[in-house]
Amino acid sequence: MTTDRRALLGLGLGAAAVPSLARAAQGRPVAPIWPPLESFKLWPGLPPGAPARMPRPSPEFTQRGDIWMRGTSSPDVGVIRPARPDGRAVLIAPGGGYGFVSLENEGVSVARVLAQHGITCFVLNYRLPGDGWRDRADTPLADAQRAMRLIRFQAARYRIDPAKLGVVGFSAGGHLAASLVTQYAAKVYTSIDAADAESARPRFGGLMYAVSNMDPGRSRGGSRPNLLGPNPSPAMEARYATDRNMRADTPPLFIMHAEDDGTVPVINGLDLIAAAHAARVPVEAHIFQQGGHGFGVGLPDALPGSLWPQLFVRWMNGAMARP
């Protein structure tokens, strides 16, 4: 029996039982589905800055088994729990050049690997700035802040230690993670409930082949025009130059990049490393010779970069031991 992926996604949006059906398909590869068995919405009603004409979710299934989500109107978070949670947790921000969200390759697949180490994972399906939201550039950051606060507010439910909650992001999602670690206290939306009294500060940040700033030419994947629009102000460019916004209170960072990245050149990773050193932010950095871009946890075992999840997991404990 074969299962149409689009039909599965449509069912998955309204029926939590569908993923278990896919997994029962006699050992066949699991079709990517969003949301996972457990998920939650970020906003109780319309998200802040809603346009008059709301975007419509438009998932695209790639030949590599990914889901590229566009048109998200009600952002949500997928929860991937480990068999034996140890209190550590991460919010995962997938990439996609701020033009789509790579929910499987840089979201759920990463969560499955980290969950094997006892880490509870929260995959963020954030809104895209080009979908007509007011204050477009602040829209993804508002979703990331709100996600951090909701997770901390419900820490007991998820069996996590709120003091051990960090963020990890990839590509444009890495830029979003960097924006969160440098602007976790920025007022990008109006508080709506008790959860918003929680801190949005990550305990640590993982920046994986991340876009460092919005300077022209820093990314060939469209992150700058998608986030800032066609004629951004110098103030907005400066606001989202994450490497230039690091301060002494920026949480410890883990930075990973490949020398042969043709989409987000390695200079972005070097920017972030230099900025962390200048601000005296503790940083662990790994620049791999090979890997390209957008590999998530899918590098061949023969490449040293395939070991980044193990390196990241080991680094986390030391990062959280710092005051």
Side-chain angles (χ1 to χ4, degrees), residues 178-201:
S179 298
L180 183 62
V181 299
T182 55
Q183 297 196 68
Y184 54 84
K187 301 296 183 183
V188 292
Y189 70 92
T190 302
S191 297
I192 58 174
D193 56 27
D196 286 324
E198 298 284 345
S199 171
R201 184 182 187 271

Side-chain angles (χ1 to χ4, degrees), residues 95-118:
Y98 288 120
F100 62 89
V101 180
S102 175
L103 289 174
E104 179 69 25
N105 179 53
E106 294 173 344
V108 175
S109 291
V110 174
R112 292 193 193 104
V113 170
L114 296 181
Q116 293 174 11
H117 298 273

Side-chain angles (χ1 to χ4, degrees), residues 32 35 61 108 155 217 219:
F61 297 92
V108 175
S219 169

